[in-house]
Amino acid sequence: MFNCIKCENNNFKNLINGEWVGNKDNKVIEIYSPLDNSLVGTVPAMTQEDIDHVIQVAKDGQREWSKVPMNERAEILYKAADILVENANELVDIMIREIGKDRKSSKSEIHRTADFIRFTADTAKNMAGESIPGDTFPGFKRNKISVVNREPLGVVLAISPFNYPINLSASKIAPAIIVGNSVVLKPATQGSLCGLYLAKVFQEAGVPNGVLNTITGKGSEIGDYAVTHKGVNFINFTGSTEVGVKISKITSMVPLLMELGGKDAAIVLKDADLDLAANNIVAGGYSYSGQRCTAVKRILVLEKVADELVKKVKEKMSNLTVGNPLDKDVDIVPLISTKSADFVEELIKDAIDKGADLVVGGKRDGNLIYPTLFDNVTGDMRIAWEEPFGPVLPIMRVKDKDEAIEIANKSEYGLQGAVFTENIEDAFYVADRLEVGTVQVNNKTERGPDHFPFLGVKASGIGTQGIRYSIESMSRPKATVINLVR
Ligand code: NAP
Ligand code: G3P
């Protein structure tokens, strides 16, 4: 599978109207591994002219695709899920080298994505329309009936981040195409080899020419042009708040679905099961080196139980494995880039300079940041508010649940929050007041399972993902009103 989408020297190609093509001037982007800086492959650096062509192709392909019966579209998705799993080993090897995700997490992402694709097909087949009789509204009679179905929007521009290059691309592609849209996928540059592989999987499954196309290239170079292209009917973006805000400012009259940054707080109340809380904080804060939007990114703990919680978190952190995922499954891997590691190191230094207590870690080796925990973090420290996207957790001590809620809500972000308590009244008291998309009770913050609604508020996003929600977001009602004349 892998071989057919690349030519000699691992030069990968783009999928355009069913063909695997490079770009005219053969300009490529070299993709180096964050693990050992080895060359993993190259992808074409697409131009604005290329993008014009791809979007036209997607427009043309979508017209025919929207006429294909739902059950046939669903069968293609079921096949794509099977092909994805059949090729998991080859894709895992690419993922490990391209984004430094360990084998276990890479495998899990692929199987989770296959389940996502199947569930999307199941869900779409059961999303019937409705008919509304006119006489339920004052002044109207039964001779007027609205028959409502869902229709596709047209061309969906799907832009995905580096950290889940398969799941966060498929979670845009599958709901978009099942309801009759076509897709232009712009994968993260560091993750584009995975993205192109995924496109091949969908093509192998029978997605017709022009329905799924890819554009590779640096977002900083082609992103603005793509998102403002008049041929794009919907933008499904997952990535940083910085880029998301920029896209929302430069686009107009195009619907957006955005999942952005986060600073998810784990709030630990005085009656919490501290072992449960510590386990979830460590798993939620440090897996894949904290490079998850839904990672636990701060701990707000009641002073009364803080010392005991810090002790337990520190103990659990000693079990974290650190190293190169090419050698073994590890929790802490080198960060995706030197720029990312530099940023995390800046936050660490700022916290130390401003007097935070360094409980664990604080070390760096190349792009590898060792798991780090700060206690007694205060509001003047950057780590209290900024998203590290790295294995660094700040503990802020609070006097009561209201102070925890106040600090949690002061964040610009509003993705998820978690509250650890044995008291159901307190759980709902906190959950009702947190300005986030989702509150986890007695669990780490996380997106899965993928049919749950997943959304960020404030600087964490626009709109709602989650299989049914994504299908609804990328389609619209179409009403046909029957007027009976006799
Ligand atoms: P990023 O730097 O914002 O990049 C995300 C995507 O946007 C990439 O495909 C990138 O392409 C593209 N892009 C960059 N500039 C663009 C522009 N001007 N116009 C259009 N597209 C542009 O984010 P990342 O580093 O990949 O991922 C980390 C961030 O994403 C974190 O903030 C994390 O919280 C967030 N995230 C959120 C979720 C969620 O579900 N809420 C999930 C995962 C990640 P290039 O790669 O070529 O630059
Ligand atoms: O960061 C991306 C988001 O999809 C994470 O998913 O299930 O690991 O919280 P999950």
Side-chain angles (χ1 to χ4, degrees):
M1 166 81 77
F2 181 45
N3 289 321
C4 65
I5 63 176
K6 65 180 176 123
C7 51
E8 61 288 346
N9 325 312
N10 260 3
N11 293 331
F12 278 56
K13 303 172 189 170
N14 271 296
L15 177 58
I16 304 174
N17 204 21
E19 299 294 321
W20 290 94
V21 293
N23 58 349
K24 295 183 187 60
D25 60 8
N26 289 320
K27 191 165 164 257
V28 297
I29 299 169
E30 294 177 335
I31 311 287
Y32 293 93
S33 174
L35 302 177
D36 55 12
N37 213 28
S38 62
L39 181 67
V40 189
T42 68
V43 296
M46 301 283 267
T47 63
Q48 292 184 1
E49 191 189 345
D50 293 325
I51 291 169
D52 290 340
H53 172 58
V54 174
I55 291 174
Q56 186 55 53
V57 157
K59 218 170 180 60
D60 298 342
Q62 191 270 331
R63 280 192 206 96
E64 287 314 304
W65 178 240
S66 64
K67 298 171 192 160
V68 173
M70 174 62 79
N71 56 59
E72 289 180 30
R73 297 203 286 245
E75 284 310 311
I76 291 173
L77 257 60
Y78 293 132
K79 196 155 170 30
D82 294 343
I83 295 171
L84 183 61
V85 170
E86 285 158 18
N87 290 276
N89 290 338
E90 187 174 46
L91 184 49
V92 162
D93 289 340
I94 304 173
M95 200 185 288
I96 295 172
R97 291 192 62 211
E98 187 173 19
I99 66 162
K101 189 172 274 191
D102 69 274
R103 187 169 297 279
K104 181 166 161 266
S105 304
S106 299
K107 266 187 188 157
S108 157
E109 179 175 342
I110 290 167
H111 288 276
R112 165 188 188 176
T113 302
D115 292 338
F116 183 105
I117 295 170
R118 294 188 187 102
F119 200 102
T120 298
D122 294 344
T123 303
K125 289 196 297 185
N126 292 287
M127 283 174 74
E130 57 181 343
S131 72
I132 307 167
D135 64 342
T136 50
F137 195 86
F140 288 87
K141 299 191 181 341
R142 284 195 73 80
N143 67 334
K144 188 181 278 292
I145 305 164
S146 180
V147 177
V148 186
N149 287 310
R150 293 204 73 82
E151 296 228 326
L153 300 178
V155 175
V156 170
L157 174 61
I159 303 175
S160 50
F162 79 84
N163 63 338
Y164 284 75
I166 297 298
N167 187 267
L168 289 176
S169 296
S171 64
K172 298 169 174 53
I173 295 167
I177 65 174
I178 192 66
V179 77
N181 298 295
S182 61
V183 171
V184 174
L185 170 69
K186 155 66 192 122
T189 293
Q190 199 77 30
S192 47
L193 302 179
C194 290
L196 295 176
Y197 196 104
L198 179 70
K200 181 62 192 169
V201 167
F202 278 104
Q203 183 191 41
E204 285 287 292
V207 172
N209 296 349
V211 174
L212 174 60
N213 310 275
T214 60
I215 50 172
T216 51
K218 288 194 167 45
S220 56
E221 292 171 9
I222 62 167
D224 290 2
Y225 187 77
V227 300
T228 56
H229 198 286
K230 289 298 163 240
V232 169
N233 301 109
F234 187 93
I235 299 172
N236 193 330
F237 174 84
T238 301
S240 64
T241 292
E242 181 195 356
V243 174
V245 166
K246 179 179 185 187
I247 292 172
S248 67
K249 282 182 177 167
I250 64 174
T251 54
S252 81
M253 292 303 284
V254 63
L256 304 173
L257 177 55
M258 291 198 160
E259 301 294 348
L260 306 177
K263 187 72 178 179
D264 294 2
I267 295 172
V268 182
L269 303 185
K270 63 183 183 307
D271 67 329
D273 173 336
L274 295 182
D275 285 312
L276 177 76
N279 278 327
N280 274 276
I281 283 166
V282 172
Y286 295 101
S287 65
Y288 189 38
S289 289
Q291 296 177 110
R292 291 171 48 244
C293 60
T294 47
V296 170
K297 293 180 184 147
R298 52 192 169 143
I299 303 161
L300 308 177
V301 57
L302 264 65
E303 183 61 58
K304 198 171 172 191
V305 295
D307 288 347
E308 201 183 342
L309 180 72
V310 171
K311 186 165 165 285
K312 289 180 181 293
V313 170
K314 183 179 177 183
E315 274 164 24
K316 311 273 181 211
M317 287 178 70
S318 63
N319 301 326
L320 289 170
T321 49
V322 182
N324 186 331
L326 285 171
D327 307 335
K328 61 186 184 320
D329 283 342
V330 286
D331 304 298
I332 307 298
V333 296
L335 297 187
I336 195 68
S337 66
T338 302
K339 183 178 164 215
S340 302
D342 290 346
F343 176 67
V344 174
E345 190 174 37
E346 256 179 57
L347 298 181
I348 289 173
K349 283 180 177 164
D350 175 80
I352 292 170
D353 293 348
K354 291 175 182 170
D357 293 334
L358 179 60
V359 179
V360 179
K363 280 194 315 180
R364 174 181 179 176
D365 177 5
N367 289 348
L368 187 76
I369 301 276
Y370 282 80
T372 300
L373 177 71
F374 284 107
D375 190 5
N376 293 306
V377 169
T378 50
D380 61 319
M381 299 172 192
R382 292 175 61 190
I383 192 64
W385 309 108
E386 295 183 44
E387 177 186 48
F389 230 56
V392 186
L393 262 184
I395 295 174
M396 301 176 83
R397 298 180 176 220
V398 296
K399 62 180 182 302
D400 57 28
K401 57 180 181 290
D402 289 312
E403 187 183 10
I405 292 164
E406 184 194 353
I407 293 173
N409 288 338
K410 263 175 83 174
S411 169
E412 66 174 305
Y413 296 108
L415 192 58
Q416 294 204 4
V419 56
F420 292 89
T421 175
E422 298 295 292
N423 180 315
I424 190 75
E425 303 287 334
D426 284 345
F428 274 101
Y429 182 92
V430 173
D432 290 347
R433 289 163 178 77
L434 289 184
E435 295 161 4
V436 293
T438 301
V439 179
Q440 301 279 353
V441 177
N442 289 330
N443 197 73
K444 66 182 185 293
T445 44
E446 63 181 349
R447 171 169 157 242
D450 291 341
H451 65 315
F452 282 6
F454 179 65
L455 67 153
V457 297
K458 303 198 294 186
S460 290
I462 300 173
T464 304
Q465 282 191 100
I467 291 168
R468 180 167 60 79
Y469 304 88
S470 295
I471 294 172
E472 287 173 346
S473 300
M474 294 185 278
S475 61
R476 65 171 177 85
K478 172 69 170 290
T480 302
V481 178
I482 307 298
N483 294 278
L484 302 174
V485 294
R486 279 179 286 285

